[in-house]
Each structure stands twice: as structure tokens, then as C-alpha cells.
Amino acid sequence: MRSLSKLFVTTIGIGVLSAAAHAQAPWPSRSISLVVPFAAGGPTDVVARTLAGSMSRTLGQTVVVDNKLGAGGTVAASFVARAAPDGYTFFIHHNGMATSTALYRKLSYNPLTDFEFVSQAVDVPMTLLARKDFPANNLAELVAYVKANSAKINLANAGLGAVSQLCGMLFERAVGVKLTAVPFQGTAPAMNALLGGQVDILCDQTTQTIPQIKSGTVKLYGVTTRNRIRALPDAPTLNEGGLKDFEVLVWHGIYAPKGTPKPIIDRFNVALRTALKDPDVLKRMADLGAEIAPDAKLSPQGLQTWLKAEIDKWGPIIRAGGTFAD
Ligand code: MLT
């Protein structure tokens, strides 16, 4: 009996020691997961993988991109909100972190209280496209054509909460039509459908569309930013083309589960800032039309303040259109 209790005490002792050793293991001691809420090969994935390569070198451990698809990004957000706050799960998401709060009647997470904020990363313009053989050749023709043929035109997107859905919805409102939505689990598959002629129109980020635009495999009607962009200098803005005040700029933020220790958040932030100065990252981002977020937004506070402002901005605009999901 005595030797049994000694064994028990010794086992507990070893357990406590190994837990203490684990708690003190330097971070990061294994690979880190960066969750992407949309399909591999699409715009968010491209940004994530470009950053992950450089951040892995700074952190001395691989940052592995993990695509968790579904429900316009909300499946991934919900997963991350419930993940262990141990510094091995991070999340990249865009405007959808804000717009989903108005698009969904219930969300299983609160974007403002269930996450730690790391930083913003890059801003990406969008482009309004159609399949290559679509009849309209410029924005004025597109507007006239969709007005006359709305019942037979479809509009691809990546689900409620995706920026492709937001942009498509704003386009429909600007023109005063309702088109048939065709949702995918990211704009990578939506782009494949556009290239294959199965869908007609797609509004998507330059991080995916520039190679297609340059190779002439899609028809471009304009960019969604206030001003023309360096990466596509000949492309008019949609505002210039007649859609007054049309503006969507996609911003990407990086989050972690609530409770992730601050020293880890700070080191991930430093690795991100280092990546955003890496010449290879800068070239790739510039080639794809992405701009590094301004310095003031490259902090936890910068992202938190921005997200709150975006929730306040998009909520009333979205609710006015009455597009909701459970
Ligand atoms: C993607 O990565 O597929 C896009 O960011 C989806 C979207 O929001 O349109």
C-alpha cells in the first residue's frame, strides 16, 4: 500500500514537472497554424501564403496555412474563437469580420470580444469582371445589359460575408437590379467557373484577378477603389465609369483566440511587420495590386479600432438591403 501511494505521488510529481517544462517551452516550439477562411489559391490565401513564408523565417518555425471553408468565412472565425489560446492558432480575415455581424442574424462568436488583435496587414482593391465572351464591353454597356437581362444573368460570390458578395450587392444596388447569386467557398472556385463560362459576373480582389486580366481571359469593367491603381493604370474606377461613389477596399487583419498571451501576440506582430518590409513580399504584393496597411494600423489597437469602425460603417448599409442569413 505504501509503495503504491509512493508510485502515485511520484507519477503526479513527474506530471507536474512535465507540465511546468511545457509551460516554459520557448514559443514557438512547433509549427503555427494560420487559418484562412476561404479556398486555397484565392485572394486571401495568396496574401496568407506570401506573409507566412517570410514570417516562418523570422519565427524559426513554419507558419502553416490552414484553409477552413464555409459560410462566407464564419466557419473559420467560429473555429478560431474556440481554439486553444496557446499561440499556435492565428487567423487572417478581411472586411467579412465586420460585415458578417450585419449579414447573419446569429453568429457563434463576437468579432470584438472573442479574439486578440494582432495587426492589419494589406489593403487590396477589387475588380468588376465578366466572363470573356460576355456581351458588354465596358461599364456603360454592362449596366445597360444587366438592366435589360437581369433575369438571366448570374453573379458569383464566396458566400454571405465574402467581399465578393459585398461588392456584388453594392453593384446590384447601384444599378437597381437583382441577379442570381451563385455562391462558392472562395473566389478561387468562382474564378474557375467564370473562366469556364458557367457564371457571368464576379467582383474579386486584384490578388487573384490581375494575372487573369493581364492574360485577357476575363473582361474587366473597372476597379472598386476611389482612385486608379498602379498595378492596373489603364483600368477606370467604377466611379469614373458612372457608378457614383462606388468604393470597396479590402483590408486584411490578423487575429488569435482570446487569451493568447500578449508576449506571443507581440512577437507575431513583429514577425508580420518584418514580413511587410521583406523585399520579396513587397514585390509580390505590388505586382498583385496590394498595398501595405499604414503604420498606424499595424498594431493590435490599430486593428481593433478599425474593426469597430467598419462594423459601424457597414451595418446600416447592409441592413438597408435586408440580406440576412441565420
Ligand atoms: C477568397 O479568398 O476566396 C476571397 O477573399 C473571398 C471573398 O471574400 O470574396
Side-chain angles (χ1 to χ4, degrees):
M1 188 65 194
R2 239 174 107 178
S3 64
L4 250 185
S5 64
K6 193 169 162 197
L7 177 68
F8 183 65
V9 170
T10 311
T11 313
I12 291 193
I14 291 170
V16 169
L17 274 180
S18 85
H22 187 72
Q24 283 163 17
W27 180 89
S29 59
R30 57 183 166 90
S31 62
I32 298 165
S33 165
L34 179 57
V35 176
V36 166
F38 298 104
T44 316
D45 185 76
V46 165
V47 168
R49 284 177 203 273
T50 305
L51 296 173
S54 179
M55 291 176 75
S56 301
R57 288 190 287 282
T58 304
L59 293 165
Q61 289 287 348
T62 312
V63 176
V64 181
V65 170
D66 180 10
N67 302 84
K68 289 219 176 301
L69 317 182
T74 59
V75 167
S78 177
F79 168 84
V80 174
R82 278 156 190 72
D86 57 5
Y88 291 95
T89 303
F90 286 85
F91 181 39
I92 182 163
H93 199 2
H94 55 37
N95 312 45
M97 198 69 165
T99 57
S100 294
T101 59
L103 288 164
Y104 288 80
R105 284 192 193 89
K106 322 190 265 289
L107 281 180
S108 64
Y109 58 89
N110 182 326
L112 288 169
T113 56
D114 288 343
F115 298 87
E116 300 294 341
F117 301 90
V118 177
S119 176
Q120 272 187 243
V122 293
D123 294 335
V124 182
M126 300 190 82
T127 46
L128 183 63
L129 311 172
R131 60 181 159 80
K132 194 173 180 224
D133 54 355
F134 198 68
N137 288 317
N138 53 47
L139 186 58
E141 286 183 24
L142 177 70
V143 169
Y145 190 82
V146 295
K147 276 186 173 165
N149 298 280
S150 61
K152 62 177 193 188
I153 296 171
N154 62 44
L155 180 61
N157 67 42
L160 275 183
V163 283
S164 44
Q165 183 270 334
L166 178 71
C167 181
M169 179 188 80
L170 295 176
F171 172 71
E172 288 177 317
R173 283 197 206 168
V175 177
V177 293
K178 189 83 190 129
L179 308 176
T180 304
V182 184
F184 294 83
Q185 293 200 318
T187 53
M191 176 60 85
N192 285 338
L194 192 75
L195 296 174
Q198 289 100 37
V199 294
D200 298 315
I201 299 175
L202 170 67
C203 188
D204 194 17
Q205 296 160 73
T206 56
T207 32
Q208 166 159 267
T209 63
I210 280 183
Q212 303 297 347
I213 292 166
K214 290 198 166 158
S215 61
T217 50
V218 292
K219 221 167 236 187
L220 169 68
Y221 298 109
V223 293
T224 64
T225 40
R226 184 170 295 279
N227 299 308
R228 289 188 180 209
I229 62 170
R230 261 192 303 247
L232 291 172
D234 298 332
T237 66
L238 296 182
N239 186 45
E240 263 177 74
L243 298 184
K244 206 166 155 5
D245 296 331
F246 196 106
E247 189 181 2
V248 186
L249 181 66
V250 183
W251 55 272
H252 295 78
I254 296 186
Y255 308 81
K258 188 79 186 169
T260 303
K262 183 161 183 325
I264 291 179
I265 296 289
D266 290 345
R267 281 196 51 204
F268 208 69
N269 178 288
V270 169
L272 175 69
R273 283 168 174 262
T274 307
L276 294 175
K277 293 195 181 100
D278 178 334
D280 293 340
V281 171
L282 291 177
K283 170 150 187 1
R284 176 127 175 88
M285 294 298 184
D287 288 348
L288 295 176
E291 300 258 354
I292 308 306
D295 226 44
K297 293 182 183 169
L298 298 182
S299 67
Q301 187 59 53
L303 173 58
Q304 187 174 16
T305 306
W306 182 254
L307 176 63
K308 169 89 178 64
E310 283 284 284
I311 290 173
D312 293 346
K313 168 184 165 178
W314 288 111
I317 297 173
I318 289 168
R319 285 187 200 99
T323 311
F324 298 111
D326 288 328

